[in-house]
Each structure stands twice: as C-alpha cells, then as structure tokens.
Amino acid sequence: MGYIAWQQFSKIDAFTTTRDDGFSKAPFLSNNLAFHVGDDYEDVLKNRQKLMKEHDIQKDHFVIVYQSHSDVMEKVDASFGGAGSDTFESGVKADALYTKDHSVALGIFHADCVPIFFYVPKHDIIGVIHAGAPGTLKSITEKVVKKLMDNEGVEPQDIYFHFGPSLCFAHRLIDLAKRNEILRLGDDFIKGLKETDDKIFLDIPLINYIQLRKLGVPPQNISLSDACTFEENQTFFSAEKEKKTGRMMSVIKFR
C-alpha cells in the first residue's frame, strides 16, 4: 500500500494513503478507504485492515471523522476509539480532530480537499483537518488555531503544519456567483481568487496558508505538498476529475 508521509518529526507518524495496492474495483480502484462513496463494503474493510496492520493501529484505538465540510474540531481520546470504523455515520461529527492521547490514531477522508496535519511538540498535541472549499470559506483552519490557543494554551509559533496532496488551483474553477460570494468574505479570501482569460480559479491551499500566517504561525512551521490530485490521478483519487471515485485517508498518530 502506498503512502505519502510527513517525515519532519520522529515522534509522530503522519501520512496520506494513495490509491495503489488495495482491493476495491473500478471506479474505486483500488485502495478506497471510505464507506460513503458507494464502494463494496467488504473491499473497504479489507483496505482498512491492511492500513491498520501496516501502521500498527488497533481498530478500537482508531478515531475517524463523520465529516460534512463543517468548521468543527473535536478533542478526542481513547474513549472515542472505534468511531467511524464500521460505518461513515458512526464517526465523530467534525472536520478536524486533535488529541493528546498517545494510544489513538486520527483519520479524515479526502479526494481533492486539503488534508492538513498539525503537531504541537511543546504541548504533545497532534491533529488533522479536512479543509475542503466549504470548510475553508468557513475559516476552519483559523478556528482550529484559535481553539488550540483558547483551550490548550498553545502559541501559534509552537504549531507545525503540513498540507498534504490536494487539487491545485488550476483545476478548481468557480463561477461568477461564487466569486462574488467570496468577495464579500474579506481580503484573506480574495487573495485566493485568480482570474485569467475569463476564467476564475480558487486556491484553497493558499487561503488556508494565509489563515495560519495571519494568526502568527511562522512560515518555517508550514510545509506544503506539491502533489496535485487531478494531475497525478494515477496515484490519487480525484473527485473533480473522476466524479465517482474513492477517497484517500490522512492519518496521524504518535509513534
């Protein structure tokens, strides 16, 4: 099974799966990790079991989201273990998770949306964000940082972020109505609009980056994958390109 790892820190294991070396059949070929896209249930289970075996994750210590493009983050621990393991709906209702519990692994789904890992070594905190266009326009990443500051006493300069593979802006076309909606959200969002030849593009990774920088996260604390799920469709699922397809999973845990 293929993985794209964030390798900056030796004390955590953070990775995004690829579509390779799984059991699912077309159009979910082959390593789809999501129940909610119409794939065969048993094939998804086998893909998950393979992931857990290869990364030493126990099912009852795996905490997975029931995501809905919200701006909600939840703090979880071992009492949430197994959430989302058997059905999509049994996951934690959130689009971001964080924990201090060394026994649990956290997981989100995506195909084109931006998976954002974070680690706060000073406070022994790990987390992951599902930042799609709706969540980004609700400032989910900014709200994550503010919640860590308010609830955990974290300073922005102590948080490290990594943006995983996602849809690059050249393939995220929006219409005039969406552009005008974004214009009303303010300067941080306007900077994510790119217009050329009567086409309008939205740069989701850039908007999330701006949200982090605005709150004082240093640029050296933020790393970004240059992989585009649309352009590298042989490696990643892309809902924008394929429409009906599978989902990668981004997972973070303590070693």
Side-chain angles (χ1 to χ4, degrees), residues 83-134:
S85 292
D86 296 315
T87 66
F88 179 54
E89 293 78 10
S90 66
V92 179
K93 292 183 179 180
D95 279 74
L97 301 171
Y98 81 100
T99 191
K100 291 183 172 183
D101 191 330
H102 281 234
S103 71
V104 302
L106 312 176
I108 62 162
F109 306 103
H110 54 98
D112 296 333
C113 295
V114 188
I116 305 177
F117 303 100
F118 61 89
Y119 178 40
V120 193
K122 187 174 179 179
H123 293 262
D124 214 25
I125 292 171
I126 57 171
V128 64
I129 306 167
H130 166 244

Side-chain angles (χ1 to χ4, degrees), residues 47-58:
N47 290 337
R48 290 192 180 194
Q49 288 164 358
K50 193 169 190 288
L51 180 156
M52 290 187 287
K53 181 179 179 181
E54 292 177 353
H55 286 270
D56 193 26
I57 299 170
Q58 301 299 314

Side-chain angles (χ1 to χ4, degrees), residues 13-80:
D13 185 15
F15 60 88
T16 295
T17 62
T18 70
R19 69 184 302 162
D20 302 324
D21 198 25
F23 298 94
S24 297
K25 304 164 188 67
F28 309 103
L29 196 66
S30 63
N31 187 35
N32 168 47
L33 279 303
F35 291 126
H36 64 285
V37 294
D39 194 3
D40 180 81
Y41 184 84
E42 294 300 323
D43 287 345
V44 178
L45 277 183
K46 287 190 287 187
N47 290 337
R48 290 192 180 194
Q49 288 164 358
K50 193 169 190 288
L51 180 156
M52 290 187 287
K53 181 179 179 181
E54 292 177 353
H55 286 270
D56 193 26
I57 299 170
Q58 301 299 314
K59 179 180 176 181
D60 59 356
H61 288 276
F62 206 177
V63 183
I64 304 169
V65 290
Y66 176 29
Q67 61 197 48
S68 60
H69 290 286
S70 72
D71 58 357
V72 176
M73 178 171 74
E74 292 291 347
K75 182 180 183 179
V76 299
D77 55 29
S79 68
F80 290 79

Side-chain angles (χ1 to χ4, degrees), residues 145 149 153-161 212 215-218 221:
V145 175
M149 294 168 66
V154 170
E155 296 295 332
Q157 63 267 23
D158 294 328
I159 317 174
Y160 293 83
F161 290 88
L212 295 178
L215 290 177
V217 178
N221 286 21

Side-chain angles (χ1 to χ4, degrees), residues 161-172:
F161 290 88
H162 178 71
F163 292 39
S166 65
L167 185 72
C168 55
F169 79 87
H171 298 290
R172 194 177 291 277

Side-chain angles (χ1 to χ4, degrees), residues 202-236:
L202 184 61
D203 194 330
I204 295 298
L206 177 60
I207 295 173
N208 284 281
Y209 180 88
I210 289 169
Q211 290 177 15
L212 295 178
R213 292 289 296 118
K214 182 178 73 171
L215 290 177
V217 178
Q220 62 268 25
N221 286 21
I222 309 169
S223 57
L224 299 92
S225 169
D226 60 0
C228 173
T229 48
F230 189 104
E231 294 288 348
E232 300 180 43
N233 188 221
Q234 73 284 357
T235 302
F236 305 107

